Amino acid sequence: MKAIRVHQFGGPEVLKLEEVPTPKPDAGQLLVHVRAAGVNPYDTYMRAGTYAIKPQLPYTPGSDAAGTVEAIGTGVTKVKPGDRVYTARTLTGAYAEYTLALEEQVHPLPENISFEQGAGVWVPYCTAYQALHHFAKARASETVLVHGASGGVGTASVQMARAMGLTVFGTAGTDKGLDLAKREGARQAFNHAKPGYQEEIMKASGGRGVDVILEMLANVNLGGDLKMLALHGRVVVIGSRGDVTITPRDLMSRRASVRAFTLWAAQPAEMAEIHAALFAGMENGTLRPVVGKKLHLAEAARAHKEVLEPGAAGKIVLIP
Ligand code: NAP
């Protein structure tokens, strides 16, 4: 089979398309025929060798694949060959024609969700769910600012928060991203590249501030976020690429808090809850992963460059 292989940590150019043996499922494992693989920013940090998790070299990147079950190992009962699935991590990497996964790493993909959309489920939607439900503990009637609403996690968060009954504000850096945020459920969208947009958000909140902020770039925004919070407001840090200075008194006067998490630490019980909720949301049309760009598997290096560039519009997916 064809797969992207990384033999040394480095820039996007270390992603090489190679011919490798197709893996065979052992007991408790299954082989997925990958129809699309999602590209996440963390894939690039891992490839660069700067991430908390360093895979053993050589490796195939990617945790988010969607496709059909090709073969199952002994003892696998959850799925059968031919079933449509998405993965939440794999054993051998998603950027490939086939990927090996543990039975608990695959989840059913509803018929109304395409494989390309299915490649944008695990990381974006589990993150959105954890942020809104487990960390912000957001409630209907509250106001949420999705700070970075045009990307994978942002579009997922906007759809989910809207369905939960929150008033959603979103930010993006381009007109295309602003339109996307509004189309997916944001009541108003603001350009985070435009000086003074925080005042516009305060105005839109009637001057009281927002109850929840989901933050995709904390190193740039956290200090300003604290000034946009309502009393008892919560910032959930989802993404950050450096250090930041904050004024703790902004938190004190608002009795506010900052929480943060990584998806990696989610426990099995939380994951079971999340996947059940995601299946229901996809099946009933509430959750609709947005595919912004489809590239061939061979263009993985281009995908890794573009996923970090401004101008996000949903997910970038690789098609083997
Ligand atoms: P993505 O699809 O590449 O989207 C990136 C988003 O960040 C876009 O909406 C982009 O908007 C926005 N952005 C750029 N500059 C910004 C600014 N100054 N202020 C606010 N937003 C800005 O990435 P993603 O998959 O949504 O992930 C977003 C971040 O969360 C990444 O840093 C990722 O590593 C992290 N993440 C963390 C976890 C976790 O477990 N904690 C899980 C998933 C993702 P424009 O392009 O329109 O400017």
Side-chain angles (χ1 to χ4, degrees):
M1 68 167 188
K2 291 206 166 30
I4 296 292
R5 301 291 283 163
V6 174
H7 292 270
Q8 64 189 84
F9 297 118
E13 69 285 352
V14 302
L15 299 165
K16 305 279 187 213
L17 186 69
E18 293 178 3
E19 196 73 38
V20 297
T22 306
K24 286 194 175 52
D26 229 325
Q29 302 177 348
L30 53 98
L31 187 68
V32 178
H33 184 176
V34 179
R35 309 301 172 120
V39 176
N40 289 297
Y42 94 83
D43 299 342
T44 71
Y45 321 147
M46 208 177 249
R47 182 217 68 229
T50 56
Y51 199 52
I53 301 170
K54 256 194 184 182
Q56 226 186 332
L57 296 169
Y59 79 102
T60 294
S63 52
D64 294 18
T68 48
V69 175
E70 182 75 10
I72 58 172
T74 54
V76 172
T77 55
K78 187 168 143 185
V79 291
K80 56 183 187 318
D83 283 0
R84 303 172 90 251
V85 292
Y86 69 92
T87 64
R89 300 202 214 186
T90 72
L91 294 171
T92 56
Y95 292 14
E97 286 179 309
Y98 293 89
T99 188
L100 205 57
L102 295 172
E103 185 175 21
E104 57 266 31
Q105 291 173 328
V106 302
H107 302 275
L109 188 67
E111 286 295 333
N112 57 323
I113 301 293
S114 70
F115 291 126
E116 289 151 9
Q117 290 178 297
V121 175
W122 183 52
V123 169
Y125 281 86
C126 284
T127 302
Y129 190 97
Q130 286 238 285
L132 284 164
H133 288 273
H134 296 161
F135 287 84
K137 300 194 190 302
R139 295 180 299 273
S141 86
E142 288 192 311
T143 305
V144 61
L145 169 67
V146 179
H147 213 167
S150 47
V153 179
T155 48
S157 304
V158 168
Q159 292 170 0
M160 204 175 282
R162 173 71 181 264
M164 289 165 69
L166 283 95
T167 298
V168 183
F169 297 148
T171 76
T174 62
D175 286 344
K176 195 175 170 189
L178 293 168
D179 288 344
L180 177 62
K182 282 191 270 190
R183 197 164 67 237
E184 296 308 321
R187 179 176 290 183
Q188 289 188 57
F190 306 86
N191 191 329
H192 52 229
K194 202 175 124 193
Y197 72 96
Q198 293 94 337
E199 283 98 82
E200 288 177 37
I201 293 172
M202 284 305 290
K203 236 184 259 164
S205 76
R208 71 179 280 278
V210 295
D211 299 297
V212 173
I213 298 178
L214 304 189
E215 183 52 65
M216 305 304 155
L217 200 58
N219 55 302
V220 172
N221 297 320
L222 190 59
D225 286 349
L226 304 187
K227 299 184 197 306
M228 287 194 280
L229 285 177
L231 194 67
H232 299 294
R234 292 88 77 199
V235 179
V236 181
V237 174
I238 295 174
S240 187
R241 295 179 182 161
D243 296 340
V244 63
T245 300
I246 64 161
T247 304
R249 278 190 178 160
D250 289 334
L251 285 169
M252 293 155 69
S253 57
R254 292 168 178 80
R255 303 194 155 209
S257 54
V258 178
R259 302 198 68 191
F261 70 98
T262 66
L263 201 49
W264 303 114
Q267 298 302 301
E270 284 175 309
M271 293 312 288
E273 171 193 328
I274 295 170
H275 287 294
L278 298 191
F279 187 87
M282 287 191 280
E283 199 180 34
N284 70 24
T286 302
L287 306 180
R288 310 162 303 275
V290 177
V291 178
K293 200 178 283 178
K294 295 182 243 177
L295 298 175
H296 189 266
L297 181 62
E299 295 178 285
R302 177 180 158 196
H304 271 215
K305 270 188 226 124
E306 293 183 3
V307 76
L308 296 182
E309 287 169 359
K315 290 292 304 177
I316 300 179
V317 302
L318 295 172
I319 309 296

